[in-house]
Amino acid sequence: MVAQPWRAGIERNKKRAIGNRKSEIFHVPLAEIRNDRCDLSISRYKQIEHKEIEYEKPGVIMKKVMRLEKEIENDIEAIKAMIR
C-alpha cells in the first residue's frame, strides 16, 4: 500500500524535527503560535545559522585581478594578430 511508506516518512520527520528549528522541517508548539497572535511567518520560528565568511586580503585579490587582466590583454593581442 502506498500510504504506509508515506506515513513512515512522516513519523520519521516528526521525530527528527522536534526541538530542532534549524532543520527544514520543525514543529512549533501551539501555545507559542498563539502567543505570537497566530503569526505563521517562518522567520519568526526558524533559527538561522550564520556562518562567517573569510575573504582574502585586498592586496591578494588585487594581484589576482591584475594577473587575469594581463592574461586577457595577451589573449586580445593574440586574436588581433590572427585577424591581421
Side-chain angles (χ1 to χ4, degrees), residues 17 19-23 26-29 32 44-47:
N20 183 7
R21 293 192 182 184
K22 293 179 183 175
S23 67
F26 59 91
H27 293 264
V28 178
E32 187 176 344
R44 180 171 295 282
Y45 304 106
K46 184 167 179 136
Q47 293 177 350

Side-chain angles (χ1 to χ4, degrees), residues 48-69:
I48 299 172
E49 193 172 323
H50 298 282
K51 295 179 183 177
E52 188 174 329
I53 300 173
E54 291 186 27
Y55 296 99
E56 294 177 322
K57 293 182 179 182
V60 173
I61 294 171
M62 190 56 124
K63 284 180 184 176
K64 288 181 180 181
V65 169
M66 297 299 288
R67 184 175 32 101
L68 289 171
E69 203 170 283

